[in-house]
Amino acid sequence: MRVDDEAGYADRTCHLCGDRWVMLDAADVAEDADLGDAACLCGGERFDVAVGFALREDGEVRWVSVSVSLRCTADGVFGVYADWKIDYSPSGQLMARV
């Protein structure tokens, strides 16, 4: 998992196949991102990743918290590594880009 909370960027790499996915709308800010690898205090770098969405009444995304449930697979510790506000519409398509 690589993140830049300031730029609003997150991507993840599958530890089994090596494929990398840019998450949500992060591709829009990739040029400006100063990426850092997520790491647990135990030194673990493999995580279970989840993304939480707060929706507006019309079903569009109002707020997204990336990696709210980033859980280290070595020791089970949870951490929040990045979050950013989605302030444009339409934005419902972001839920498919996790």
Side-chain angles (χ1 to χ4, degrees):
M1 183 83 190
R2 299 182 316 162
V3 297
D4 179 345
D5 190 33
E6 295 287 322
Y9 181 93
D11 68 29
R12 59 194 171 111
T13 302
C14 176
H15 74 273
L16 295 175
C17 70
D19 285 350
R20 179 166 301 220
W21 292 274
V22 176
M23 299 175 67
L24 303 159
D25 61 352
D28 296 343
V29 297
E31 289 181 16
D32 301 322
D34 182 19
L35 300 177
D37 291 327
C40 181
L41 293 175
C42 78
E45 295 183 340
R46 290 185 180 176
F47 301 94
D48 295 325
V49 180
V51 176
F53 297 95
L55 302 178
R56 297 191 305 235
E57 288 182 16
D58 64 1
E60 294 297 326
V61 175
R62 177 176 52 92
W63 186 270
V64 60
S65 294
V66 179
S67 305
V68 168
S69 296
L70 196 58
R71 184 179 68 87
C72 177
T73 59
D75 66 5
V77 170
F78 287 89
V80 174
Y81 287 81
D83 67 339
W84 62 89
K85 185 174 183 176
I86 301 298
D87 59 359
Y88 59 84
S89 195
S91 55
Q93 79 282 358
L94 296 177
M95 289 186 282
R97 290 193 205 161
V98 179

